[in-house]
Amino acid sequence: MRKPVRHKKAAIAIIVLAGFFVALLCVPVPKFDKPYSTVLTARDGELLGAKIADDGQWRFPASDNYSQKYTDCLLEYEDRWFYYHPGLNPVSLVKAFFANLKAGEVVRGGSTLSMQVVRLSRDNPPRTYGEKLLETLLALRLELHYSKREILDLYAANAPFGGNVVGIDAAAWRYFHTTPDELSWAEAATLAVLPNAPSLIHPGRSRQRLREKRDELLKRMLPPEEAELAMMEDIPDEPFEIPMSAYHYLSENEKQHHGEHIHSTIDAALQQSVTDIMRRHHELSVLNSIDNAAVYVVDYLNDEVIAYVGNNWDADDARMVDMIQAQRSTGSILKPFLFAAMLDEGTLLPQMVVPDVPMNLSGFTPRNYSGEYQGAVTADKALQNSLNAPFVHLLHEYGHQRFHTLLRRLPLRGIVFDAEHYGLSLIVGGAEASLFDITNAYAKMGRKLASYANESFDVIVDDDIVPFSAEAIAETFHIMLGLTRPVSQVGWGGFASSRQVAWKTGTSFGFKDAWAVGLTNRYAVGVWVGNADGEGRPGLTGVGAAAPLLFDVMARLNDSYTYPANTSESIEIEVCAESGYPKSEYCPDVRKTHVVDVENQTGVCPYHKKVFLDESRQYRVNPDCYPIDQRRFEVFYVLPPVMEWFHKQHSPLHRPLPAYYPGCGVTHPDEVMAFVYPKDDAKITIPIGIRGDRQQVVFEIAHRNPRKTIFWTLNDTFLGQTRLNHQMPIDVERGTYLLSCVDEDGIELQRRIVVQ
């Protein structure tokens, strides 16, 4: 009769245990909802920076990269039976109960590591027997939900290590300037014993007590000889400061990754080198009250940011402002984009002559930085010398609305207004952009070119991402190789180790922003120099302030620009050697060049013309007023009057057109002379002197034959005559006037002007 009783008791026990198990499953799993620090590491895992958690603790995001040494020390010190118990150790609990009973106070906890995790999740409530019972139940629930390794990870990430340091990752760095996977035995033992009483045993205080605890553990863990060596290591003193070698990168990325571990692609050594270079440059630039700078380096083949220094850390003002992300006036840094776009549509050839003259286009009057004009300049030289007037002319031809759309596609996010707001000033600094966007735009161009020219780089770059052909990019970058380097780089070509760089600079109006961007066949480097508050300074130019910094950074990159000037997508054509246009029947010298494989839109050379001369070849003649049997002809390089007027000042070998044969001359005045200033329908502002007095307005005419006398009239009032230097100063009041100029041959030009 006893056998059924035993079966009944067993069944009851099973039911009770099953009920307990089910009830245990209903208990909430202990969780940690503490905020984490935002942590930034380099590509090799080196800590670059961190921001303290929202609760004021240095609590790095949980990871499992701590060493086995730390695990072994922790389990030896806290819970030897961790892998064998279900969350509680009855033997330890019984021993702790009697020890505390005998002492009359809590002297021993008896907690397992799982119970300590529960306690940490509950913010360390007061120690009572009721609390201990609850911790036991929650520890059992914890073990049902997590693996042993996960429980270890939870403890390592949330254990207190003194002060406001929480977790093994933060503790390893703050106390030993290392990562948890690189801890020595002595370091691992120190961090294993520290959470046991973080308020009493703290590095920098109670050092002897901490050493005793550590050494006792080492003796239990290691053979005597190894323990002796380990115990020779010092106990850590004050915690190390968290580094700030990439503060601005951390701040920018924290917006999207707050409280996370940001594993960046930054090269820690390069980041430090760039920081040091900027510090040296700042020592000089600050003498001219130029306080801020930024450098951004991209490995565009791998599409990785490898250096990001958003400001001079030694700056007296605004050093926390990230100038890589700041929107600033672009200066001339956008010109290569227009150059490549026009190559792509066939409206520009690299050596094609473009006007370099003063102009007034829709009320906009661009000026070259030097104040000089060459009349006619090839497009590649205009890009290399960053001439404003030729590029405003090119933008006028291309269309500022189209260019505005292109810049938005790159994208340059600082261009927030419509195209009409900027007008033609888009190409000379009328818009704003960030160093981040500008450098990335050039990097994408380099990446697309690499997809065509680099055999080991087989990534396809979508045309929607880079709106330029590889051929246009190759030609543009090849021209950028020829820019004259800053004074500090004089003689660079004489060194075998000199690195080729395709580069461009920019300077904003008022000397407020200095830009430089450079590319090798792998890297793109962007530099901005200026003052964060927008204060302009003399000498704050792209070539003078930004380019030296660019080349010092480039010297740290083991790379050079080696891409060809042309890709397999180009075609070969014959062009006029002097004008750069496709050859015409009158071009005396022809050469071959590679261009983008698109339909040419420039037309043939318009400047080499067949000119009829008299029998002596001293005068020009019209064919219909000179005997046909006495006419001669020659080919002349004929520029429009204003272009020619400036061109011949820089080209002493220029051969001007002969004067017309008496009585057999020109029929249209534009063929002979043109206004240099004012332009058509110009609105003129009366200049004011430094003493506040009114100044004269100086008008100017370009004549093919400067020796001709020109007679000037304003509203039927004779002003005077000029010869050789056709400039006329005029003192006028506000109003509308008609300016008339007549040369001695009776050829007349008129211009309506408005004086404001």
Side-chain angles (χ1 to χ4, degrees):
M1 295 297 294
R2 293 180 179 177
K3 190 172 183 179
V5 173
R6 288 198 301 270
H7 288 172
K8 185 176 181 179
K9 289 180 178 179
I12 292 173
I14 292 173
I15 292 172
V16 171
L17 289 173
F20 177 77
F21 182 77
V22 171
L24 190 61
L25 290 177
C26 295
V27 175
V29 179
K31 294 182 179 180
F32 291 88
D33 57 359
K34 300 297 183 182
Y36 288 106
S37 302
T38 306
V39 177
L40 174 67
T41 53
R43 65 170 55 186
D44 62 356
E46 180 177 336
L47 183 66
L48 294 174
K51 291 199 172 183
I52 201 164
D54 293 340
D55 61 354
Q57 303 294 306
W58 286 112
R59 184 187 298 104
F60 288 7
S63 66
D64 58 357
N65 69 337
Y66 45 87
S67 67
Q68 187 63 39
K69 293 176 183 176
Y70 172 71
T71 301
D72 293 344
C73 290
L74 175 64
L75 296 183
E76 174 64 27
Y77 188 76
E78 294 285 359
D79 192 349
R80 296 183 188 178
W81 303 97
F82 174 72
Y83 285 109
Y84 304 101
H85 61 65
L88 74 157
N89 187 335
V91 176
S92 295
L93 287 174
V94 171
K95 289 182 177 180
F97 175 77
F98 285 108
N100 295 336
L101 185 63
K102 182 178 180 181
E105 59 180 343
V106 178
V107 295
R108 181 171 178 174
S111 297
T112 63
L113 207 61
S114 302
M115 294 169 68
Q116 292 186 49
V117 170
V118 170
R119 186 172 182 81
L120 290 172
S121 72
R122 291 169 52 77
D123 293 331
N124 291 307
R127 296 187 177 187
T128 64
Y129 287 108
E131 180 62 32
K132 183 65 69 175
L133 177 61
L134 180 58
E135 286 179 8
T136 302
L137 292 174
L138 291 175
L140 293 172
R141 181 68 182 94
L142 188 76
E143 293 269 356
L144 289 174
H145 186 80
Y146 293 109
S147 69
K148 290 290 187 179
R149 178 64 190 193
E150 289 172 330
I151 294 172
L152 275 173
D153 292 345
L154 286 172
Y155 177 85
N158 293 279
F161 287 90
N164 64 345
V165 180
V166 178
I168 185 66
D169 290 86
W173 210 98
R174 293 298 311 272
Y175 297 143
F176 299 108
H177 204 283
T178 188
T179 55
D181 59 334
E182 297 291 336
L183 294 171
S184 67
W185 276 113
E187 293 166 347
T190 303
L191 295 181
V193 304
L194 192 53
N196 187 259
S199 62
L200 297 177
I201 308 173
H202 187 284
R205 301 195 305 268
S206 306
R207 291 169 55 83
Q208 186 56 35
R209 188 175 176 190
L210 178 58
R211 180 181 290 275
E212 291 170 358
K213 290 278 188 179
R214 182 202 68 174
D215 292 351
E216 181 182 345
L217 178 58
L218 288 172
K219 291 175 182 178
R220 285 156 45 188
M221 292 290 303
L222 302 174
E225 296 82 1
E226 291 185 39
E228 194 69 28
L229 288 174
M231 288 187 295
M232 293 175 65
E233 293 187 27
D234 289 332
I235 294 295
D237 201 343
E238 293 297 326
F240 288 96
E241 292 293 331
I242 296 294
M244 283 296 176
S245 57
Y247 170 82
H248 301 95
Y249 184 88
L250 173 60
S251 298
E252 176 63 23
N253 284 270
E254 187 191 26
K255 299 172 184 176
Q256 299 294 327
H257 302 284
H258 181 70
E260 299 178 19
H261 187 166
I262 303 170
H263 299 274
S264 76
T265 55
I266 288 180
D267 183 315
L270 179 63
Q271 179 79 7
Q272 187 58 53
S273 291
V274 171
T275 301
D276 293 340
I277 291 170
M278 290 177 64
R279 181 176 292 112
R280 293 197 299 272
H281 279 264
H282 180 259
E283 291 174 354
L284 297 176
S285 64
V286 75
L287 298 177
N288 188 27
S289 297
I290 302 171
D291 207 27
N292 305 108
V295 175
Y296 178 51
V297 186
V298 179
D299 177 348
Y300 61 76
L301 291 188
N302 291 321
D303 197 19
E304 294 177 346
V305 178
I306 59 173
Y308 189 112
V309 185
N311 213 323
N312 283 318
W313 206 240
D314 294 335
D316 294 329
D317 184 45
R319 69 174 185 173
M320 310 299 279
V321 177
D322 185 355
M323 299 309 300
I324 291 177
Q325 299 293 335
Q327 303 295 337
R328 307 290 296 199
S329 175
T330 56
S332 298
I333 205 70
L334 307 182
K335 288 175 180 173
F337 300 147
L338 177 61
F339 192 92
M342 295 188 72
L343 291 180
D344 266 334
E345 69 171 10
T347 55
L348 182 69
L349 299 179
Q351 285 82 42
M352 192 175 85
V353 165
V354 293
D356 180 25
V357 297
M359 62 185 71
N360 185 308
L361 297 173
S362 303
F364 181 56
T365 55
R367 293 177 174 83
N368 291 336
Y369 173 74
S370 65
E372 297 182 352
Y373 302 90
Q374 300 179 43
V377 64
T378 58
D380 57 347
K381 295 301 181 185
L383 178 59
Q384 290 177 344
N385 295 309
S386 200
L387 301 177
N388 291 334
F391 269 90
V392 171
H393 170 81
L394 291 175
L395 181 58
H396 180 68
E397 295 294 319
Y398 184 78
H400 66 276
Q401 297 92 345
R402 293 175 61 203
F403 190 57
H404 178 273
T405 300
L406 183 144
L407 296 178
R408 294 288 295 271
R409 285 180 61 192
L410 288 176
L412 300 187
R413 293 167 294 174
I415 300 179
V416 295
F417 302 106
D418 61 26
E420 298 309 317
H421 174 84
Y422 303 106
L424 296 174
S425 70
L426 261 177
I427 199 64
V428 290
E432 291 187 338
S434 67
L435 182 63
F436 181 85
D437 286 344
I438 288 173
T439 307
N440 282 335
Y442 280 101
K444 290 174 184 176
M445 293 172 72
R447 187 172 172 85
K448 184 166 186 176
L449 180 56
S451 68
Y452 282 80
N454 188 335
E455 296 180 356
S456 61
F457 184 70
D458 56 1
V459 175
I460 298 176
V461 180
D462 198 319
D463 289 343
D464 290 337
I465 298 176
V466 183
F468 309 107
S469 71
E471 172 54 35
I473 296 170
E475 182 62 44
T476 302
F477 284 1
H478 182 68
I479 292 169
M480 288 164 61
L481 279 172
L483 269 71
T484 302
R485 298 201 180 193
V487 175
S488 62
Q489 294 287 312
V490 171
W492 67 274
F495 299 95
S497 61
S498 297
R499 290 171 173 79
Q500 294 281 341
V501 178
W503 64 293
K504 183 71 183 74
T505 62
T507 304
S508 69
F509 179 77
F511 305 104
K512 298 179 180 180
D513 305 274
W515 301 84
V517 174
L519 296 102
T520 67
N521 61 12
R522 185 183 190 92
Y523 302 109
V525 178
V527 174
W528 174 90
V529 179
N531 288 307
D533 61 3
E535 179 189 0
R537 297 298 304 167
L540 181 57
T541 66
V543 171
L549 182 53
L550 170 74
F551 283 100
D552 280 355
V553 172
M554 282 291 185
R556 301 300 177 94
L557 302 174
N558 187 24
D559 195 37
S560 187
Y561 188 90
T562 57
Y563 290 142
N566 308 106
T567 71
S568 59
E569 304 295 315
S570 66
I571 58 173
E572 189 177 63
I573 66 170
E574 291 184 326
V575 297
C576 174
E578 191 168 9
S579 72
Y581 278 81
K583 68 172 185 177
S584 70
E585 60 179 312
Y586 300 120
C587 288
D589 298 307
V590 175
R591 59 182 174 79
K592 294 182 178 181
T593 187
H594 283 83
V595 298
V596 180
D597 188 9
V598 293
E599 182 180 355
N600 180 266
Q601 305 290 327
T602 66
V604 299
C605 174
Y607 299 129
H608 283 99
K609 297 180 179 180
K610 181 179 180 180
V611 177
F612 287 100
L613 306 174
D614 71 334
E615 190 173 19
S616 68
R617 299 180 183 268
Q618 296 181 17
Y619 298 98
R620 276 185 292 164
V621 297
N622 280 327
D624 57 356
C625 67
Y626 196 83
I628 188 171
D629 59 335
Q630 298 178 25
R631 286 199 312 253
R632 305 290 183 266
F633 76 87
E634 292 183 15
V635 173
F636 280 78
Y637 186 59
V638 183
L639 295 170
V642 175
M643 288 178 63
E644 182 181 64
W645 189 81
F646 284 98
H647 176 66
K648 63 187 179 183
Q649 297 179 39
H650 297 274
S651 302
L653 298 180
H654 176 73
R655 183 186 179 195
L657 286 171
Y660 274 101
Y661 191 86
C664 193
V666 68
T667 59
H668 199 287
D670 288 344
E671 297 181 23
V672 177
M673 60 181 182
F675 279 103
V676 176
Y677 184 82
K679 294 298 181 181
D680 191 25
D681 290 328
K683 293 182 179 180
I684 300 170
T685 301
I686 300 174
I688 303 298
I690 59 175
R691 298 178 181 177
D693 54 329
R694 290 162 41 86
Q695 303 291 302
Q696 291 182 319
V697 178
V698 179
F699 296 153
E700 188 170 8
I701 282 280
H703 199 290
R704 288 198 184 278
N705 186 354
R707 292 183 174 83
K708 294 287 185 180
T709 301
I710 295 179
F711 304 91
W712 298 71
T713 303
L714 186 68
N715 281 2
D716 297 327
T717 300
F718 180 67
L719 299 175
Q721 64 188 46
T722 57
R723 189 171 183 272
L724 297 179
N725 182 21
H726 295 299
Q727 293 182 335
M728 178 62 67
I730 303 175
D731 187 2
V732 290
E733 301 288 342
R734 291 182 175 85
T736 302
Y737 299 87
L738 181 65
L739 178 66
S740 298
C741 297
V742 182
D743 74 359
E744 61 187 70
D745 295 325
I747 299 172
E748 181 179 13
L749 283 181
Q750 291 185 335
R751 177 73 78 236
R752 177 182 174 275
I753 58 174
V754 177
V755 179
Q756 298 177 332

